[in-house]
Amino acid sequence: MGFHPVDLLIILLFGLALFGPRALQSVARNLGRGVGQARVVKDKIKEELQVEELSQISENIPRLPLNTREAASLLLKEQKEKRPSEGTAQSRASETNERVVRDSAASA
């Protein structure tokens, strides 16, 4: 949702006609200073934050599912990690249950 260059030109001409060239020049100068100060503050904040620590913290935070499909896949992953990999009838039944959960999550 940006401005088209023609729109910006029309706004600039309207401001020039309404306020005059000196006022428009001072507004533009003050706006430029404000943007420059905002950049300086942003750079200071980035320097103070330790990105490595933040990334390590974010890795330790458990990921929450955003929809039912993600929730089902996380549950299935946990079940696979907990149970030993055996070729028994119980593991085949759980694989069938996993397929049912996946199919129901996909259809939701």
Side-chain angles (χ1 to χ4, degrees):
M1 180 181 176
F3 288 106
H4 193 271
V6 175
D7 296 336
L8 293 175
L9 183 63
I10 292 171
I11 292 171
L12 181 66
L13 290 175
F14 182 73
L16 183 63
L18 188 64
F19 298 112
R22 292 188 194 268
L24 199 59
Q25 182 182 13
S26 69
V27 168
R29 184 182 310 117
N30 290 334
L31 185 64
R33 286 181 187 158
V35 170
Q37 288 175 353
R39 276 194 194 134
V40 169
V41 169
K42 178 192 71 158
D43 291 339
K44 284 182 182 178
I45 289 173
K46 278 188 171 181
E47 287 175 4
E48 290 176 4
L49 290 177
Q50 297 178 353
V51 178
E52 296 84 23
E53 289 180 11
L54 290 176
S55 65
Q56 289 174 355
I57 290 171
S58 67
E59 288 174 0
N60 293 333
I61 296 174
R63 186 169 175 268
L64 297 176
L66 299 176
N67 56 36
T68 55
R69 182 176 293 160
E70 287 182 9
S73 67
L74 286 174
L75 287 173
L76 293 175
K77 183 190 286 186
E78 289 176 8
Q79 286 179 356
K80 286 181 182 179
E81 291 173 357
K82 287 181 183 177
R83 71 178 151 94
S85 58
E86 299 173 357
T88 64
Q90 183 181 5
S91 66
R92 280 179 276 189
S94 64
E95 288 174 3
T96 305
N97 289 338
E98 290 173 6
R99 282 191 216 113
V100 170
V101 169
R102 254 186 264 132
D103 292 342
S104 64
S107 64

XYZ file of all heavy atoms in Angstrom:
833
model
N 0.843 -1.166 0.000
C 0.000 0.000 0.000
C 0.891 1.234 0.000
O 0.885 2.018 0.922
C -0.916 -0.034 1.211
C -1.828 1.124 1.289
S -2.814 0.941 2.780
C -3.696 2.417 2.717
N 1.685 1.384 -0.981
C 2.571 2.525 -1.078
C 1.977 3.609 -1.948
O 0.909 3.468 -2.554
N 2.683 4.700 -1.989
C 2.266 5.807 -2.827
C 2.902 5.677 -4.196
O 4.052 5.286 -4.334
C 2.694 7.138 -2.210
C 1.906 7.526 -0.998
C 2.459 7.428 0.262
C 0.613 7.988 -1.125
C 1.742 7.788 1.381
C -0.120 8.354 -0.009
C 0.446 8.247 1.254
N 2.170 6.034 -5.193
C 2.690 6.092 -6.545
C 3.453 7.410 -6.671
O 3.094 8.407 -6.037
C 1.529 6.027 -7.546
C 1.958 5.763 -8.935
N 2.286 6.770 -9.793
C 2.124 4.610 -9.615
C 2.635 6.261 -10.954
N 2.549 4.941 -10.867
N 4.515 7.486 -7.458
C 5.270 8.739 -7.581
C 4.418 9.928 -8.014
O 4.650 11.063 -7.589
C 6.333 8.413 -8.624
C 6.511 6.946 -8.544
C 5.173 6.392 -8.167
N 3.413 9.686 -8.826
C 2.536 10.779 -9.257
C 1.744 11.310 -8.064
O 1.538 12.518 -7.913
C 1.597 10.303 -10.393
C 0.594 11.385 -10.761
C 2.404 9.866 -11.601
N 1.313 10.398 -7.173
C 0.596 10.819 -5.963
C 1.480 11.708 -5.099
O 1.028 12.729 -4.571
C 0.145 9.604 -5.154
C -0.862 8.741 -5.898
O -1.542 9.275 -6.801
O -0.960 7.542 -5.569
N 2.726 11.309 -4.920
C 3.647 12.104 -4.115
C 3.888 13.480 -4.738
O 3.982 14.486 -4.030
C 4.975 11.361 -3.933
C 4.906 10.089 -3.098
C 6.257 9.388 -3.095
C 4.480 10.400 -1.685
N 3.968 13.542 -6.062
C 4.156 14.811 -6.750
C 2.959 15.733 -6.536
O 3.115 16.938 -6.280
C 4.401 14.576 -8.246
C 4.680 15.804 -9.094
C 5.972 16.471 -8.645
C 4.767 15.423 -10.552
N 1.763 15.175 -6.599
C 0.549 15.973 -6.383
C 0.510 16.502 -4.955
O 0.196 17.679 -4.723
C -0.713 15.139 -6.709
C -0.771 14.869 -8.212
C -1.973 15.837 -6.224
C -1.843 13.890 -8.623
N 0.865 15.660 -3.989
C 0.883 16.098 -2.593
C 1.922 17.197 -2.395
O 1.679 18.191 -1.708
C 1.153 14.897 -1.662
C -0.040 13.942 -1.689
C 1.451 15.353 -0.244
C 0.213 12.629 -0.987
N 3.093 17.044 -3.008
C 4.148 18.045 -2.908
C 3.698 19.381 -3.508
O 3.897 20.443 -2.906
C 5.416 17.548 -3.609
C 6.609 18.481 -3.574
C 7.114 18.651 -2.149
C 7.716 17.946 -4.460
N 3.075 19.346 -4.655
C 2.595 20.582 -5.291
C 1.495 21.235 -4.456
O 1.460 22.465 -4.313
C 2.097 20.299 -6.708
C 3.168 19.933 -7.739
C 2.528 19.562 -9.065
C 4.150 21.077 -7.912
N 0.615 20.441 -3.892
C -0.447 20.982 -3.038
C 0.159 21.635 -1.799
O -0.242 22.725 -1.384
C -1.423 19.870 -2.649
C -2.560 20.347 -1.809
C -3.578 21.107 -2.358
C -2.609 20.058 -0.453
C -4.622 21.560 -1.577
C -3.652 20.496 0.335
C -4.663 21.259 -0.230
N 1.144 20.979 -1.179
C 1.813 21.561 -0.018
C 2.558 22.825 -0.365
O 2.562 23.790 0.414
N 3.174 22.861 -1.526
C 3.892 24.053 -1.981
C 2.924 25.222 -2.167
O 3.202 26.350 -1.758
C 4.627 23.752 -3.283
C 5.490 24.858 -3.869
C 6.623 25.203 -2.916
C 6.048 24.419 -5.212
N 1.782 24.942 -2.767
C 0.795 25.997 -2.980
C 0.177 26.458 -1.666
O -0.126 27.646 -1.483
C -0.300 25.500 -3.922
N -0.010 25.556 -0.710
C -0.678 25.883 0.543
C 0.259 26.602 1.513
O -0.123 27.614 2.124
C -1.222 24.607 1.182
C -2.105 24.766 2.405
C -3.378 25.517 2.029
C -2.455 23.403 2.958
N 1.476 26.131 1.677
C 2.378 26.667 2.689
C 3.453 27.597 2.129
O 4.047 28.366 2.867
C 3.075 25.527 3.446
C 2.121 24.643 4.178
C 1.920 23.336 3.782
C 1.417 25.118 5.270
C 1.048 22.510 4.462
C 0.534 24.309 5.956
C 0.348 22.998 5.550
N 3.790 27.476 0.874
C 4.850 28.281 0.295
C 6.174 27.536 0.327
O 6.333 26.537 1.026
N 7.145 28.024 -0.427
C 8.407 27.293 -0.557
C 9.245 27.272 0.725
O 9.883 26.277 1.035
C 9.138 28.027 -1.675
C 8.495 29.362 -1.782
C 7.086 29.197 -1.291
N 9.231 28.347 1.507
C 10.071 28.383 2.719
C 9.543 27.424 3.787
O 10.314 26.713 4.423
C 10.154 29.801 3.267
C 10.921 30.724 2.370
C 11.141 32.051 3.056
N 11.572 33.058 2.120
C 12.849 33.324 1.867
N 13.775 32.657 2.467
N 13.154 34.262 1.002
N 8.263 27.425 4.004
C 7.688 26.542 5.018
C 7.853 25.074 4.611
O 8.165 24.209 5.449
C 6.213 26.871 5.230
N 7.650 24.794 3.342
C 7.806 23.421 2.862
C 9.254 22.960 2.997
O 9.525 21.813 3.356
C 7.340 23.326 1.405
C 7.021 21.934 0.893
C 5.921 21.303 1.718
C 6.594 21.993 -0.555
N 10.188 23.890 2.778
C 11.609 23.566 2.925
C 11.943 23.263 4.387
O 12.656 22.301 4.683
C 12.462 24.722 2.418
C 13.944 24.455 2.480
C 14.766 25.653 2.022
O 14.237 26.757 1.891
N 16.034 25.426 1.777
N 11.410 24.023 5.310
C 11.712 23.765 6.726
C 11.049 22.470 7.200
O 11.632 21.732 8.003
C 11.264 24.949 7.584
O 9.861 25.046 7.614
N 9.865 22.183 6.708
C 9.204 20.924 7.063
C 10.026 19.745 6.556
O 10.252 18.762 7.280
C 7.764 20.876 6.495
C 7.183 19.485 6.588
C 6.883 21.865 7.217
N 10.517 19.834 5.325
C 11.323 18.754 4.761
C 12.632 18.587 5.539
O 13.079 17.465 5.802
C 11.615 19.027 3.286
N 13.250 19.707 5.928
C 14.491 19.655 6.690
C 14.259 18.985 8.049
O 15.023 18.115 8.473
C 15.053 21.064 6.884
C 16.393 21.063 7.592
C 16.949 22.467 7.847
N 16.937 23.298 6.665
C 16.218 24.430 6.544
N 15.462 24.831 7.539
N 16.264 25.133 5.443
N 13.199 19.399 8.740
C 12.897 18.811 10.055
C 12.546 17.333 9.935
O 12.904 16.528 10.796
C 11.762 19.572 10.724
C 12.186 20.958 11.157
O 13.365 21.205 11.403
N 11.230 21.870 11.239
N 11.847 16.973 8.871
C 11.511 15.567 8.647
C 12.774 14.745 8.410
O 12.932 13.645 8.952
C 10.556 15.434 7.457
C 10.011 14.044 7.161
C 9.143 13.569 8.316
C 9.208 14.065 5.883
N 13.703 15.282 7.644
C 14.977 14.602 7.407
C 15.783 14.429 8.683
O 16.388 13.384 8.917
N 15.793 15.467 9.527
C 16.489 15.348 10.817
C 15.854 14.276 11.688
O 16.551 13.510 12.356
C 16.456 16.688 11.547
C 17.389 17.708 10.972
C 17.327 18.987 11.757
N 18.107 20.028 11.105
C 17.934 21.318 11.295
N 16.998 21.746 12.121
N 18.689 22.187 10.669
N 14.536 14.252 11.700
C 13.836 13.241 12.510
C 14.152 11.830 12.056
O 14.376 10.929 12.870
N 14.184 11.624 10.747
C 14.515 10.299 10.207
C 15.945 9.933 10.559
O 16.243 8.796 10.938
C 14.279 10.262 8.678
C 14.846 9.000 8.073
C 12.802 10.379 8.370
N 16.859 10.898 10.481
C 18.255 10.645 10.833
C 18.409 10.277 12.299
O 19.160 9.357 12.653
N 17.695 10.986 13.177
C 17.755 10.670 14.599
C 17.168 9.293 14.878
O 17.668 8.545 15.723
C 17.023 11.733 15.403
C 17.750 13.051 15.456
C 16.937 14.127 16.163
O 15.774 13.919 16.497
N 17.562 15.283 16.384
N 16.101 8.949 14.186
C 15.508 7.623 14.370
C 16.494 6.539 13.964
O 16.592 5.494 14.629
C 14.219 7.502 13.560
N 17.252 6.750 12.898
C 18.266 5.772 12.474
C 19.350 5.619 13.531
O 19.797 4.507 13.812
C 18.903 6.198 11.160
C 18.138 5.796 9.964
C 18.983 5.945 8.709
N 18.125 5.859 7.549
C 18.166 6.668 6.521
N 19.048 7.644 6.493
N 17.338 6.516 5.515
N 19.803 6.741 14.093
C 20.846 6.691 15.122
C 20.357 5.894 16.331
O 21.075 5.030 16.860
C 21.271 8.126 15.529
C 22.139 8.106 16.772
C 22.000 8.803 14.389
N 19.132 6.151 16.759
C 18.573 5.426 17.903
C 18.446 3.941 17.577
O 18.775 3.081 18.400
C 17.204 6.027 18.307
C 16.491 5.151 19.304
C 17.390 7.434 18.854
N 17.989 3.631 16.369
C 17.861 2.219 15.961
C 19.217 1.527 15.981
O 19.337 0.397 16.466
C 17.246 2.127 14.569
C 17.120 0.701 14.057
C 16.777 0.672 12.596
C 17.997 1.115 11.833
N 18.061 0.704 10.458
N 20.251 2.194 15.475
C 21.581 1.596 15.461
C 22.120 1.393 16.872
O 22.757 0.377 17.162
C 22.549 2.460 14.649
C 22.229 2.445 13.165
O 21.547 1.502 12.714
O 22.660 3.390 12.456
N 21.864 2.336 17.781
C 22.304 2.188 19.168
C 21.623 0.995 19.829
O 22.250 0.232 20.555
C 22.017 3.454 19.967
C 22.971 4.580 19.681
C 22.647 5.790 20.543
C 23.576 6.951 20.229
N 23.241 8.143 21.035
N 20.340 0.848 19.571
C 19.599 -0.270 20.163
C 20.130 -1.588 19.624
O 20.305 -2.553 20.368
C 18.089 -0.120 19.893
C 17.537 1.036 20.719
C 17.340 -1.403 20.211
C 16.107 1.389 20.413
N 20.405 -1.653 18.325
C 20.947 -2.882 17.742
C 22.303 -3.226 18.326
O 22.635 -4.394 18.513
C 21.059 -2.753 16.225
C 19.781 -3.007 15.502
C 20.031 -3.039 14.011
C 18.815 -3.493 13.268
N 19.054 -3.561 11.827
N 23.138 -2.195 18.603
C 24.445 -2.453 19.189
C 24.311 -2.986 20.613
O 25.081 -3.845 21.034
C 25.281 -1.168 19.203
C 25.783 -0.761 17.844
C 26.507 0.584 17.889
O 26.685 1.146 18.985
O 26.897 1.067 16.808
N 23.343 -2.470 21.370
C 23.182 -2.889 22.754
C 22.603 -4.297 22.864
O 22.940 -5.027 23.786
C 22.290 -1.900 23.496
C 22.964 -0.557 23.722
C 22.039 0.452 24.362
O 20.895 0.093 24.704
O 22.464 1.606 24.515
N 21.746 -4.655 21.953
C 21.166 -6.000 21.980
C 22.217 -7.001 21.535
O 22.969 -6.756 20.605
C 19.960 -6.093 21.051
C 18.712 -5.354 21.479
C 17.647 -5.504 20.415
C 18.194 -5.862 22.790
N 22.252 -8.103 22.198
C 23.200 -9.134 21.819
C 22.421 -10.198 21.054
O 21.686 -10.997 21.629
C 23.892 -9.686 23.044
C 24.712 -8.619 23.733
C 25.384 -9.099 24.998
O 25.147 -10.197 25.434
N 26.225 -8.268 25.564
N 22.578 -10.170 19.752
C 21.769 -10.991 18.855
C 22.003 -12.475 19.101
O 21.078 -13.282 19.039
C 22.062 -10.612 17.382
C 21.263 -11.474 16.440
C 21.775 -9.149 17.143
N 23.234 -12.843 19.419
C 23.526 -14.260 19.637
C 22.738 -14.797 20.825
O 22.177 -15.887 20.781
C 25.022 -14.488 19.860
C 25.898 -14.154 18.676
C 26.252 -12.676 18.617
O 26.205 -11.991 19.665
O 26.561 -12.203 17.516
N 22.696 -14.010 21.902
C 21.958 -14.456 23.084
C 20.472 -14.553 22.783
O 19.801 -15.485 23.234
C 22.202 -13.503 24.240
C 23.596 -13.592 24.814
C 23.802 -12.629 25.972
O 22.805 -12.056 26.449
O 24.952 -12.472 26.385
N 19.946 -13.604 22.021
C 18.528 -13.642 21.685
C 18.187 -14.859 20.833
O 17.147 -15.480 21.008
C 18.118 -12.362 20.952
C 18.091 -11.097 21.796
C 17.772 -9.894 20.928
C 17.088 -11.217 22.907
N 19.072 -15.219 19.917
C 18.795 -16.378 19.078
C 18.864 -17.658 19.902
O 18.090 -18.585 19.680
C 19.770 -16.442 17.900
O 21.088 -16.643 18.364
N 19.769 -17.729 20.874
C 19.840 -18.905 21.732
C 18.597 -19.004 22.608
O 18.061 -20.095 22.819
C 21.090 -18.853 22.606
C 22.369 -19.071 21.839
C 23.600 -18.876 22.712
O 23.492 -18.495 23.862
N 24.763 -19.135 22.141
N 18.135 -17.876 23.101
C 16.924 -17.878 23.927
C 15.729 -18.321 23.096
O 14.902 -19.115 23.545
C 16.693 -16.485 24.540
C 17.754 -16.207 25.596
C 15.301 -16.377 25.145
C 17.739 -14.782 26.109
N 15.633 -17.814 21.875
C 14.489 -18.173 21.033
C 14.500 -19.651 20.655
O 13.452 -20.242 20.432
C 14.452 -17.306 19.776
O 15.551 -17.598 18.952
N 15.685 -20.263 20.591
C 15.750 -21.698 20.303
C 15.229 -22.510 21.473
O 14.669 -23.589 21.295
C 17.186 -22.106 19.982
C 17.670 -21.613 18.640
C 19.142 -21.916 18.413
O 19.779 -22.522 19.310
O 19.657 -21.543 17.350
N 15.406 -22.005 22.696
C 14.972 -22.732 23.881
C 13.479 -22.586 24.151
O 12.907 -23.378 24.886
C 15.756 -22.260 25.109
C 17.217 -22.634 25.012
O 17.578 -23.608 24.363
N 18.065 -21.858 25.644
N 12.856 -21.576 23.575
C 11.421 -21.395 23.763
C 10.693 -22.407 22.894
O 10.952 -22.518 21.699
C 11.003 -19.962 23.368
C 11.667 -18.964 24.295
C 9.485 -19.815 23.401
C 11.434 -17.529 23.902
N 9.775 -23.165 23.478
C 9.064 -24.153 22.661
C 8.193 -23.467 21.620
O 7.616 -22.409 21.865
C 8.206 -24.914 23.682
C 8.105 -24.005 24.847
C 9.329 -23.155 24.858
N 8.126 -24.083 20.469
C 7.363 -23.520 19.362
C 5.896 -23.905 19.519
O 5.565 -25.069 19.692
C 7.905 -24.058 18.039
C 7.265 -23.431 16.851
C 8.018 -23.793 15.589
N 7.320 -23.286 14.452
C 6.410 -23.973 13.767
N 6.135 -25.197 14.104
N 5.800 -23.435 12.741
N 5.024 -22.920 19.437
C 3.599 -23.169 19.548
C 3.009 -23.366 18.163
O 3.348 -22.641 17.231
C 2.906 -21.988 20.236
C 3.331 -21.724 21.670
C 2.642 -20.472 22.180
C 2.995 -22.891 22.550
N 2.134 -24.344 18.004
C 1.522 -24.567 16.694
C 0.545 -23.441 16.362
O -0.139 -22.906 17.221
C 0.788 -25.901 16.867
C 0.578 -26.038 18.337
C 1.715 -25.326 18.992
N 0.502 -23.074 15.078
C -0.382 -22.009 14.633
C -1.710 -22.529 14.098
O -2.675 -21.788 14.018
C 0.320 -21.186 13.541
C 1.616 -20.512 13.982
C 2.261 -19.810 12.800
C 1.354 -19.530 15.099
N -1.745 -23.805 13.729
C -2.988 -24.370 13.242
C -3.036 -25.851 13.634
O -2.115 -26.384 14.229
C -3.145 -24.177 11.729
C -1.970 -24.747 10.955
O -1.420 -25.771 11.324
N -1.597 -24.088 9.870
N -4.124 -26.519 13.284
C -4.303 -27.910 13.702
C -3.303 -28.839 13.038
O -2.867 -29.820 13.638
C -5.731 -28.382 13.381
O -5.984 -28.170 11.996
C -6.742 -27.628 14.215
N -2.925 -28.537 11.822
C -1.961 -29.393 11.115
C -0.603 -29.372 11.831
O 0.017 -30.399 12.030
C -1.810 -28.935 9.671
C -0.868 -29.816 8.875
C -0.814 -29.412 7.442
N -2.115 -29.691 6.845
C -2.557 -29.145 5.736
N -1.825 -28.284 5.087
N -3.730 -29.464 5.242
N -0.152 -28.193 12.236
C 1.115 -28.098 12.953
C 1.022 -28.780 14.309
O 1.969 -29.439 14.746
C 1.517 -26.634 13.136
C 1.989 -25.969 11.875
C 2.418 -24.530 12.123
O 2.506 -24.123 13.288
O 2.678 -23.849 11.131
N -0.122 -28.628 14.991
C -0.293 -29.278 16.292
C -0.229 -30.788 16.143
O 0.425 -31.483 16.938
C -1.628 -28.861 16.911
N -0.880 -31.325 15.126
C -0.864 -32.769 14.913
C 0.549 -33.251 14.585
O 0.998 -34.281 15.105
C -1.820 -33.143 13.796
N 1.273 -32.511 13.758
C 2.627 -32.942 13.408
C 3.554 -32.883 14.614
O 4.419 -33.751 14.778
C 3.181 -32.110 12.260
O 3.372 -30.779 12.667
N 3.398 -31.871 15.490
C 4.220 -31.814 16.699
C 3.911 -32.982 17.635
O 4.816 -33.581 18.219
C 3.998 -30.486 17.429
C 4.639 -29.259 16.803
C 4.214 -28.003 17.554
C 6.146 -29.378 16.806
N 2.633 -33.319 17.761
C 2.260 -34.466 18.611
C 2.819 -35.764 18.051
O 3.314 -36.618 18.793
C 0.742 -34.557 18.744
C 0.091 -33.498 19.621
C -1.414 -33.592 19.523
C 0.546 -33.638 21.048
N 2.747 -35.918 16.752
C 3.262 -37.139 16.131
C 4.770 -37.229 16.294
O 5.311 -38.315 16.526
C 2.884 -37.174 14.651
C 1.386 -37.316 14.368
C 1.128 -37.216 12.877
C 0.865 -38.629 14.915
N 5.457 -36.114 16.190
C 6.908 -36.111 16.353
C 7.287 -36.522 17.778
O 8.199 -37.304 17.998
C 7.479 -34.729 16.060
C 8.997 -34.689 16.138
C 9.540 -33.285 16.097
C 9.469 -32.668 14.741
N 10.139 -31.352 14.677
N 6.538 -35.993 18.766
C 6.808 -36.354 20.155
C 6.551 -37.833 20.397
O 7.303 -38.494 21.106
C 5.952 -35.509 21.092
C 6.370 -34.067 21.162
C 5.438 -33.243 22.026
O 4.559 -33.831 22.686
O 5.592 -32.017 22.042
N 5.490 -38.369 19.800
C 5.189 -39.789 19.978
C 6.277 -40.652 19.362
O 6.664 -41.664 19.923
C 3.842 -40.125 19.347
C 2.658 -39.628 20.141
C 1.351 -39.969 19.466
O 1.336 -40.520 18.369
N 0.255 -39.625 20.111
N 6.788 -40.268 18.212
C 7.844 -41.045 17.570
C 9.113 -41.033 18.403
O 9.820 -42.032 18.479
C 8.141 -40.492 16.172
C 7.084 -40.816 15.160
C 7.455 -40.258 13.804
C 6.375 -40.541 12.784
N 6.712 -39.979 11.465
N 9.415 -39.890 19.036
C 10.618 -39.798 19.856
C 10.483 -40.617 21.129
O 11.452 -41.191 21.611
C 10.903 -38.333 20.201
C 11.337 -37.514 19.022
C 11.448 -36.039 19.359
O 11.135 -35.660 20.502
O 11.856 -35.273 18.468
N 9.281 -40.713 21.685
C 9.074 -41.422 22.952
C 9.081 -42.935 22.779
O 9.627 -43.658 23.596
C 7.751 -40.989 23.592
C 7.811 -39.596 24.166
C 6.498 -39.233 24.804
C 6.536 -37.808 25.322
N 5.242 -37.417 25.888
N 8.455 -43.431 21.748
C 8.323 -44.884 21.617
C 9.528 -45.477 20.879
O 10.080 -44.873 19.966
C 7.031 -45.263 20.910
C 6.986 -44.944 19.454
C 5.666 -45.419 18.866
N 5.311 -44.594 17.756
C 5.609 -44.882 16.501
N 6.270 -45.963 16.205
N 5.246 -44.079 15.539
N 9.930 -46.662 21.274
C 11.029 -47.328 20.571
C 10.556 -47.810 19.203
O 9.392 -48.116 18.997
C 11.393 -48.498 21.473
C 10.155 -48.762 22.266
C 9.452 -47.443 22.410
N 11.470 -47.864 18.268
C 11.104 -48.302 16.925
C 11.117 -49.828 16.871
O 12.149 -50.460 16.788
C 12.074 -47.709 15.901
O 13.384 -48.117 16.221
N 9.932 -50.392 16.982
C 9.770 -51.847 16.925
C 8.808 -52.180 15.799
O 7.949 -51.407 15.459
C 9.206 -52.381 18.247
C 10.096 -52.102 19.435
C 9.417 -52.492 20.740
O 8.244 -52.917 20.693
O 10.046 -52.373 21.779
N 8.929 -53.332 15.250
C 8.048 -53.764 14.180
C 6.889 -54.577 14.693
O 6.518 -55.571 14.101
N 6.310 -54.216 15.823
C 5.219 -54.973 16.422
C 3.882 -54.482 15.909
O 3.781 -53.479 15.207
C 5.251 -54.833 17.956
O 5.022 -53.455 18.280
C 6.588 -55.277 18.518
N 2.847 -55.189 16.302
C 1.497 -54.817 15.898
C 1.098 -53.490 16.534
O 0.347 -52.714 15.944
C 0.514 -55.913 16.303
N 1.628 -53.238 17.722
C 1.304 -51.981 18.396
C 1.847 -50.789 17.615
O 1.178 -49.780 17.461
C 1.872 -51.989 19.806
C 1.515 -50.748 20.611
C 2.109 -50.789 21.995
O 2.855 -51.683 22.328
N 1.760 -49.802 22.793
N 3.065 -50.911 17.089
C 3.634 -49.793 16.323
C 2.877 -49.600 15.017
O 2.702 -48.481 14.553
C 5.120 -50.021 16.065
O 5.312 -51.135 15.227
N 2.407 -50.709 14.409
C 1.613 -50.571 13.187
C 0.283 -49.893 13.483
O -0.211 -49.081 12.700
C 1.387 -51.929 12.542
C 2.603 -52.382 11.749
C 2.353 -53.712 11.171
N 2.688 -54.630 12.281
C 2.776 -55.930 12.198
N 2.505 -56.533 11.076
N 3.107 -56.674 13.213
N -0.309 -50.189 14.641
C -1.567 -49.549 15.014
C -1.350 -48.062 15.264
O -2.171 -47.228 14.869
C -2.152 -50.205 16.260
N -0.233 -47.721 15.888
C 0.027 -46.307 16.135
C 0.309 -45.571 14.829
O -0.052 -44.408 14.678
C 1.183 -46.133 17.116
O 2.366 -46.638 16.560
N 0.940 -46.254 13.860
C 1.157 -45.629 12.561
C -0.172 -45.367 11.867
O -0.356 -44.333 11.221
C 2.045 -46.509 11.688
C 3.493 -46.543 12.125
C 4.312 -47.546 11.329
O 3.749 -48.172 10.394
O 5.488 -47.698 11.645
N -1.113 -46.283 12.016
C -2.442 -46.086 11.451
C -3.121 -44.897 12.121
O -3.747 -44.070 11.449
C -3.299 -47.357 11.635
O -2.604 -48.466 11.068
C -4.650 -47.199 10.980
N -2.983 -44.802 13.445
C -3.554 -43.670 14.167
C -2.928 -42.355 13.701
O -3.609 -41.343 13.581
C -3.356 -43.822 15.679
C -4.218 -44.922 16.254
O -5.223 -45.288 15.662
N -3.816 -45.448 17.397
N -1.627 -42.375 13.441
C -0.945 -41.182 12.960
C -1.505 -40.748 11.612
O -1.719 -39.556 11.368
C 0.564 -41.422 12.839
C 1.273 -41.569 14.154
C 2.724 -41.970 13.993
O 3.201 -42.016 12.837
O 3.372 -42.239 15.010
N -1.757 -41.714 10.730
C -2.324 -41.387 9.429
C -3.712 -40.768 9.585
O -4.061 -39.816 8.887
C -2.395 -42.636 8.550
C -1.078 -43.003 7.944
C -1.232 -44.076 6.880
N -0.072 -44.939 6.959
C -0.078 -46.201 7.335
N -1.201 -46.797 7.619
N 1.037 -46.902 7.411
N -4.500 -41.312 10.489
C -5.848 -40.786 10.718
C -5.775 -39.342 11.230
O -6.511 -38.470 10.780
C -6.626 -41.685 11.716
C -7.911 -41.027 12.154
C -6.896 -43.037 11.099
N -4.840 -39.091 12.169
C -4.687 -37.744 12.712
C -4.243 -36.794 11.620
O -4.749 -35.680 11.473
C -3.691 -37.748 13.891
C -3.327 -36.334 14.295
C -4.265 -38.509 15.061
N -3.286 -37.231 10.781
C -2.810 -36.399 9.689
C -3.929 -36.088 8.709
O -4.097 -34.957 8.257
C -1.676 -37.099 8.954
C -0.330 -36.483 9.270
C 0.759 -37.079 8.437
N 1.396 -38.143 9.218
C 1.670 -39.373 8.785
N 1.419 -39.706 7.559
N 2.221 -40.252 9.576
N -4.712 -37.107 8.355
C -5.801 -36.897 7.408
C -6.872 -35.971 7.978
O -7.392 -35.113 7.280
C -6.440 -38.234 7.017
C -5.496 -39.095 6.192
O -4.502 -38.545 5.647
O -5.715 -40.323 6.100
N -7.188 -36.130 9.274
C -8.193 -35.267 9.862
C -7.681 -33.840 9.991
O -8.431 -32.882 9.823
C -8.637 -35.800 11.230
O -7.542 -35.763 12.136
N -6.387 -33.671 10.258
C -5.822 -32.323 10.342
C -5.796 -31.680 8.966
O -5.995 -30.482 8.823
C -4.423 -32.371 10.938
N -5.526 -32.469 7.942
C -5.475 -31.936 6.578
C -6.863 -31.502 6.108
O -7.000 -30.532 5.364
C -4.887 -32.971 5.632
N -7.875 -32.218 6.533
C -9.220 -31.881 6.091
C -9.815 -30.734 6.883
O -10.768 -30.107 6.470
C -10.141 -33.099 6.199
O -10.275 -33.472 7.564
N -9.221 -30.405 8.044
C -9.768 -29.319 8.883
C -9.410 -27.968 8.400
O -8.851 -27.568 7.548
C -9.249 -29.456 10.319
